[in-house]
């Protein structure tokens, strides 16, 4: 009858580490989902300025938040797909993990519906990669950042996320000048196949000749670009301890 049934403001004031974030969020996705036959609304919202992203399950009758998940970086892709073939869809979220200062890494998070169905244990006291925003993922992966992108300051915003007819997950991360790196993953997020665009070796060689990079592209570096790192929960994507996971030379400072 034209009456407002309910209103919900996405996001919430949050504190992560030693930083506080006001409740200023921009909605990115809204999906209808069903859990055990009951309808819910799935919302994804990125902070308008800083890194937190909220994923929430709302009661469609009241707008009440049933569960929420927080991520250390924005999401730009959202996909519902039954990865484990149990008849219930999981939520695949593609974005960037870059809290604080730094370019970060392209990221893929998988959530159960409801989110609390995923196991969430306490992080070990000596964990090199503690959960940056609390954890709660079923699976989590970070993708390498090519050194040509690093030296040019290109944010690794996930460009594409889809599932093909063989149930392979396709992830594409960006490169400069309309290039990219494509990854085919299985249901466990393991890399089945990857390929970077043909312009990457030429970009790399150009930057080497311009003294923006201190090395030529080599086979070990090409192989490292196909290596995906896995975590029990989303870490800080700017953690310096991540760099040895890919083991290829970084850009020379100018």
């Amino acid at each position: 009858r034209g009456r407002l049934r309910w209103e919900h403001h996405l996001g919430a004031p949050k504190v992560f580490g030693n930083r506080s974030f006001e409740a200023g969020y921009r909605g990115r996705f809204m999906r209808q989902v069903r859990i055990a036959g009951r309808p819910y609304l799935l919302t994804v919202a990125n902070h308008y300025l800083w890194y937190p992203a909220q994923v929430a399950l709302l009661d469609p009758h009241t707008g009440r938040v049933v569960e929420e998940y927080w991520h250390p970086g924005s999401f730009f892709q959202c996909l519902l797909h039954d990865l484990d073939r149990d008849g219930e869809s999981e939520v695949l979220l593609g974005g960037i993990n870059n809290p604080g200062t730094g370019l970060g890494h392209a990221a893929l998070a998988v959530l159960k519906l409801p989110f609390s169905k995923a196991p969430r244990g306490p992080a070990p006291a000596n964990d090199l990669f503690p959960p940056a925003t609390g954890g709660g993922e079923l699976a989590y992966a970070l993708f390498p950042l090519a050194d040509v992108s690093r030296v040019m300051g290109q944010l690794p915003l996930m460009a594409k996320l889809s599932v093909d007819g063989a149930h392979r997950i396709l992830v594409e991360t960006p490169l400069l000048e309309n290039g990219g790196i494509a990854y085919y993953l299985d249901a466990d997020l393991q890399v089945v196949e990857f390929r970077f665009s043909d312009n990457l070796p030429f970009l790399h060689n150009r930057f080497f000749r311009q003294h923006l990079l201190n090395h030529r592209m080599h086979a070990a570096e090409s192989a490292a670009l196909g290596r995906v790192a896995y975590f029990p929960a989303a870490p800080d994507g700017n953690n310096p301890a991540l760099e040895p996971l890919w083991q290829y030379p970084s850009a020379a400072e100018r």
Side-chain angles (χ1 to χ4, degrees):
R1 297 185 178 91
R3 291 182 299 164
L4 180 66
R5 293 183 60 186
W6 53 263
E7 186 176 47
H8 174 75
H9 292 275
L10 299 171
K14 294 296 289 185
V15 176
F16 293 116
N18 60 358
R19 295 185 64 184
S20 298
F21 303 93
E22 74 277 23
Y25 293 80
R26 293 173 175 162
R28 183 76 188 195
F29 300 103
M30 184 168 67
R31 300 283 190 268
Q32 292 180 314
V33 297
R34 300 189 77 85
I35 303 173
R38 294 188 58 185
Y40 294 88
L41 288 178
L42 175 78
T43 63
V44 181
N46 300 324
H47 197 274
Y48 82 101
L49 184 59
W50 306 115
Y51 69 77
Q54 182 210 44
V55 185
L57 279 175
L58 306 183
D59 184 327
H61 301 293
T62 65
R64 179 180 65 88
V65 175
V66 177
E67 288 192 351
E68 60 182 352
Y69 161 77
W70 292 88
H71 182 257
S74 297
F75 285 125
F76 305 101
Q77 310 288 336
C78 178
L79 187 66
L80 298 172
H81 184 69
D82 183 6
L83 284 179
D84 53 13
R85 313 289 183 88
D86 66 351
E88 299 284 346
S89 291
E90 282 74 46
V91 185
L92 283 68
L93 296 159
I96 183 172
N97 182 325
N98 67 334
T101 302
L103 295 175
H105 291 267
L108 176 62
V110 180
L111 306 181
K112 291 293 286 184
L113 287 173
F115 312 146
S116 56
K117 285 182 66 177
R120 185 187 302 199
N126 59 349
D127 191 356
L128 272 179
F129 306 108
T133 48
E137 303 87 350
L138 176 66
Y140 194 83
L142 291 180
F143 295 80
L145 176 65
D147 53 7
V148 296
S149 297
R150 187 188 304 276
V151 78
M152 296 304 290
Q154 181 185 35
L155 286 169
L157 309 178
M158 187 177 290
K160 185 173 183 179
L161 176 64
S162 63
V163 177
D164 68 9
H167 298 280
R168 298 187 306 174
I169 304 166
L170 172 61
V171 169
E172 185 178 322
T173 61
L175 290 171
L176 300 166
E177 300 182 8
N178 298 317
I181 308 176
Y183 301 85
Y184 279 104
L185 313 177
D186 64 18
D188 296 319
L189 307 192
Q190 299 298 312
V191 179
V192 177
E193 181 183 358
F194 90 99
R195 178 178 175 176
F196 47 77
S197 56
D198 293 338
N199 67 333
L200 175 57
F202 297 95
L203 281 171
H204 199 288
N205 185 55
R206 184 206 307 168
F207 291 167
F208 174 71
R209 291 178 178 275
Q210 292 173 335
H211 305 290
L212 296 173
L213 289 174
N214 62 359
H215 62 283
R216 296 181 183 276
M217 192 167 181
H218 48 78
E221 181 172 356
S222 298
L225 289 174
R227 193 176 303 132
V228 174
Y230 305 96
F231 303 88
D236 179 342
N238 288 314
N239 186 339
L242 290 169
E243 295 306 316
L245 299 180
W246 286 283
Q247 298 179 338
Y248 54 85
S250 60
E253 293 185 359
R254 294 268 301 173

